[in-house]
Amino acid sequence: MGLEELGTLLDGLELSKVVIEGDFNAHHPSWGPVRNTHRNLDMGVSVLSFATSRALLIWNDPNSISTFRRGDWESWIYLTMSSTEVAAPHTWKVVENPLSDHNTIIFQTGKQTVPNVQKFSLNPHSLKKAARYFTTNVGNIMHMIESAPDNAAVDSAVEYLTEKLKETSASKLRIAPKGRAPVHWWSPQLASLRNRCKALRRRAARAGSAAEKEKGHIIFKRERAKYRRALLVAKRQSWSGYCKNAGKEGLWTVPYLIGYGKYRTPQVIGAVKDPNGCLTKSTTDYHCHH
């Protein structure tokens, strides 16, 4: 299987997480020493370009033992790569296999630890307040950096600047809400259509000849039109359902009052004690004692 066939297979699978392991018959310093061979580096460059264009991470350690050995001949042509969504391997190593010319590759994947980054809402008013506060408290930072006698002093100034930025953000900026607001009309069918459109667009962009590229764009535009039409239908059906439910209760009652800010909650009359010391339980009892 060549790189083009592998790319077509990946596009057809439409997977966001993938691990690829195989004999690519390609040499490159990125994954191992380059020996004198009838194969030049062109294939290695092609494999590296293929991995880079698809955001695939090559796990091989260029300092490992060879992946193939026959007599005095060694080569590093077996590659392990994965999509960026897959966590980097906890371990990747080559183990000598005395029963075969092909050494054994052992790797283990694990979850990535992603730091929790605080996000803030950056509206113009808040940014101006934060800028004034930051300028007032860190006015001498440039002087600290310019007059730093050594690298350690520069590092200290940068750490001070970072802490002040965090302090300013925490005190003057509002924390942004996490995630997007849920869309009640979204469905798994729409998600499938969207993913298909993305895959067809990638396939058309990576087509080899101009004719294949044009054909791919035609197919992509046709599927995109279906996706947009499905979006419009879903939105209209959702709005129609809302209007029907609101119409059952009366358009000029609660929805109208809420829309114009005139809705008021019913007044609650507190209970009072009658001459016998008992609390009233209804408006009739309340009026009888007033």
Side-chain angles (χ1 to χ4, degrees):
M1 177 183 292
L3 294 178
E4 292 185 4
E5 290 82 358
L6 180 59
T8 303
L9 176 62
L10 292 176
D11 290 336
L13 293 175
E14 300 182 7
L15 297 176
S16 61
K17 298 180 180 180
V18 62
V19 178
I20 303 172
E21 167 72 34
D23 179 3
F24 284 80
N25 274 331
H27 301 81
H28 197 275
S30 297
W31 52 79
V34 178
R35 305 297 188 188
N36 293 328
T37 174
H38 63 281
R39 300 186 183 95
N40 55 29
L41 290 176
D42 291 345
M43 187 59 186
V45 173
S46 299
V47 173
L48 189 61
S49 299
F50 172 82
T52 304
S53 64
R54 292 179 172 270
L56 297 174
L57 303 177
I58 298 178
W59 295 356
N60 291 55
D61 180 6
N63 299 318
S64 68
I65 64 174
S66 61
T67 58
F68 178 84
R69 173 179 295 176
R70 178 172 293 170
D72 295 334
W73 173 256
E74 294 180 321
S75 64
W76 287 257
I77 55 178
Y78 284 85
L79 301 180
T80 306
M81 60 181 72
S82 77
S83 54
T84 54
E85 286 79 2
V86 179
H90 290 171
T91 58
W92 186 98
K93 62 180 179 180
V94 182
V95 180
E96 291 188 9
N97 185 359
L99 303 178
S100 174
D101 297 332
H102 304 268
N103 288 329
T104 303
I105 297 176
I106 301 176
F107 63 89
Q108 179 182 1
T109 61
K111 294 183 178 180
Q112 287 179 331
T113 303
V114 180
N116 185 18
V117 179
Q118 194 75 271
K119 295 184 179 180
F120 300 92
S121 297
L122 303 179
N123 61 74
H125 179 67
S126 298
L127 284 175
K128 288 181 180 179
K129 290 175 58 178
R132 286 195 297 267
Y133 179 84
F134 182 77
T135 304
T136 303
N137 289 272
V138 199
N140 60 340
I141 185 64
M142 291 305 300
H143 176 71
M144 293 173 59
I145 296 176
E146 292 173 354
S147 61
D150 51 24
N151 292 337
V154 174
D155 292 339
S156 299
V158 172
E159 290 179 2
Y160 173 75
L161 176 63
T162 303
E163 291 300 322
K164 285 299 180 181
L165 280 172
K166 292 180 180 179
E167 177 186 332
T168 303
S169 300
S171 60
K172 299 300 178 181
L173 297 179
R174 185 170 59 88
I175 298 176
K178 294 183 179 180
R180 295 182 177 180
V183 181
H184 53 274
W185 47 263
W186 188 256
S187 65
Q189 290 77 14
L190 291 175
S192 177
L193 288 173
R194 181 186 61 182
N195 293 338
R196 177 169 174 77
C197 286
K198 289 182 177 180
L200 289 173
R201 182 175 59 186
R202 291 195 301 266
R203 189 178 303 173
R206 294 166 182 164
S209 63
E212 292 179 353
K213 190 180 292 290
E214 180 65 23
K215 181 180 178 181
H217 278 296
I218 293 174
I219 297 175
F220 161 68
K221 290 179 180 179
R222 187 186 306 137
E223 292 299 321
R224 184 180 61 180
K226 292 181 181 179
Y227 171 57
R228 289 178 174 176
R229 188 161 52 250
L231 275 178
L232 184 61
V233 170
K235 291 179 180 179
R236 285 179 174 175
Q237 288 179 348
S238 176
W239 177 247
S240 176
Y242 170 77
C243 292
K244 287 181 180 179
N245 293 332
K248 292 179 181 178
E249 300 177 359
L251 291 176
W252 307 109
T253 55
V254 175
Y256 172 80
L257 295 175
I258 292 177
Y260 280 86
K262 298 180 179 180
Y263 182 74
R264 299 291 183 269
T265 56
Q267 185 178 4
V268 178
I269 301 176
V272 296
K273 290 184 179 181
D274 59 15
N276 298 325
C278 299
L279 295 175
T280 57
K281 298 181 180 180
S282 64
T283 55
T284 304
D285 295 341
Y286 179 85
H287 289 295
C288 288
H289 297 288
H290 284 74

